[in-house]
Amino acid sequence: MQIIMLGPPGAGKGTQSKRLAQKLKVSHISTGDLLRQNEKEQTSLGKDAKDFMNRGLLVPDELVAQMLQERFNATDIKNGFILDGYPRNLNQAKTLEVILEKKQISIDTVIYLDTSVPVIIQRLTGRRVCSGCQANYHIKNMPPKKDGYCDQCNQTLYQRTDDNEATVMKRLDVYKKEVSTLIDYYKEKHLLVEFSADEDAGVVLQKIAEYLSGNDSPKN
Ligand code: AMP
């Protein structure tokens, strides 16, 4: 199964994608995670991307496209994937189509996680990420068992530099400018399904899973 996860920063794309990927036994591909990994390893892409990311801006399309193209050369792709954080604009959607066409892969579903602004701000400013396995936590909604450490791998948790309120607002701004075109694009292709993502992550996941197994309709 090949799925695109769309939604504003803070919609829970990462959390839902990881859980769903585990459930469906497919790969989770997050362009944000890949970029942060490049930044951590100080690759030339990481160095080029860092400033854009810290300012809440999109990394230039051609840099992300090249990174994604390389990721799609890996063999795990053939088992299916959940693409999280890409595309972010129409140009990227078209680039993705070209990449997938060459590999004769098609997208089955585009999941859109609709989320309100106060929920987004509360989620992002309280988010903490594991420096080892990248698992997400939240200081109130999903605290780790041991303060400051990951439940799964015991590595330290950190706050992303772009998860402060000013940068979150900038990221939302950037997102709003592009999202409606993207939504229309996938609606026209009859691929888009919409879920309200203001609820608890477990509830949202269950609704998505039910939809994907053919037992339910979206946006309920
Ligand atoms: P995310 O982890 O998806 O919230 O992404 C964090 C940051 O990485 C974004 O604010 C962008 O700076 C950058 N980024 C992630 N995905 C993309 C993309 N598809 N295109 C451009 N920049 C991206």
Side-chain angles (χ1 to χ4, degrees), residues 12-218:
K13 296 190 296 296
T15 303
Q16 298 299 344
S17 299
K18 273 184 198 127
R19 292 184 187 180
L20 209 56
Q22 253 178 0
K23 213 177 166 69
L24 300 173
K25 298 188 172 49
V26 298
S27 300
H28 170 217
I29 304 173
S30 154
T31 46
D33 282 353
L34 290 172
L35 286 166
R36 279 184 290 280
Q37 189 62 30
N38 272 278
E39 200 185 317
K40 196 170 158 188
E41 290 168 4
Q42 299 193 358
T43 65
S44 90
L45 167 62
K47 285 176 192 161
D48 289 343
K50 186 177 176 173
D51 190 45
F52 293 100
M53 294 172 79
N54 284 345
R55 285 159 56 207
L57 301 174
L58 290 186
V59 175
D61 286 354
E62 59 279 13
L63 294 181
V64 187
Q66 201 184 336
M67 175 185 81
L68 194 69
Q69 172 86 59
E70 281 166 25
R71 180 62 185 86
F72 271 108
N73 285 336
T75 52
D76 63 317
I77 293 303
K78 67 178 189 306
N79 301 325
F81 57 80
I82 299 186
L83 188 52
D84 154 20
Y86 196 97
R88 292 282 233 271
N89 57 35
L90 194 57
N91 184 40
Q92 293 190 0
K94 292 188 172 165
T95 301
L96 178 65
E97 234 169 59
V98 174
I99 294 176
L100 294 181
E101 234 168 62
K102 278 189 201 147
K103 301 205 166 285
Q104 296 183 310
I105 296 173
S106 57
I107 295 294
D108 297 305
T109 306
V110 179
I111 293 173
Y112 173 56
L113 299 177
D114 191 20
T115 323
S116 63
V117 173
V119 171
I120 290 171
I121 293 172
Q122 191 266 359
R123 278 189 190 156
L124 290 186
T125 52
R127 173 162 67 182
R128 299 293 180 269
V129 184
C130 173
S131 55
C133 68
Q134 313 299 320
N136 279 328
Y137 293 87
H138 189 279
I139 49 173
K140 284 209 184 89
N141 308 348
M142 213 195 319
K145 291 190 186 102
K146 186 171 145 200
D147 198 22
Y149 291 89
C150 179
D151 293 348
Q152 288 158 41
C153 68
N154 209 31
Q155 298 286 309
T156 51
L157 304 183
Y158 71 98
Q159 182 171 29
R160 277 172 47 174
T161 46
D162 58 352
D163 274 350
N164 63 78
E165 194 160 338
T167 313
V168 167
M169 294 314 287
K170 181 68 207 166
R171 286 159 66 198
L172 270 177
D173 232 34
V174 169
Y175 166 79
K176 278 185 200 151
K177 278 199 189 101
E178 308 282 2
V179 71
S180 54
T181 340
L182 218 43
I183 286 174
D184 289 347
Y185 183 75
Y186 287 120
K187 260 190 189 159
E188 266 174 36
K189 292 182 180 291
H190 305 288
L191 288 174
L192 196 91
V193 283
E194 193 174 329
F195 294 87
S196 165
D198 275 359
E199 287 175 276
D200 182 72
V203 176
V204 180
L205 179 70
Q206 196 181 341
K207 287 186 178 174
I208 297 174
E210 277 171 10
Y211 170 77
L212 292 175
S213 67
N215 294 331
D216 209 355
S217 54

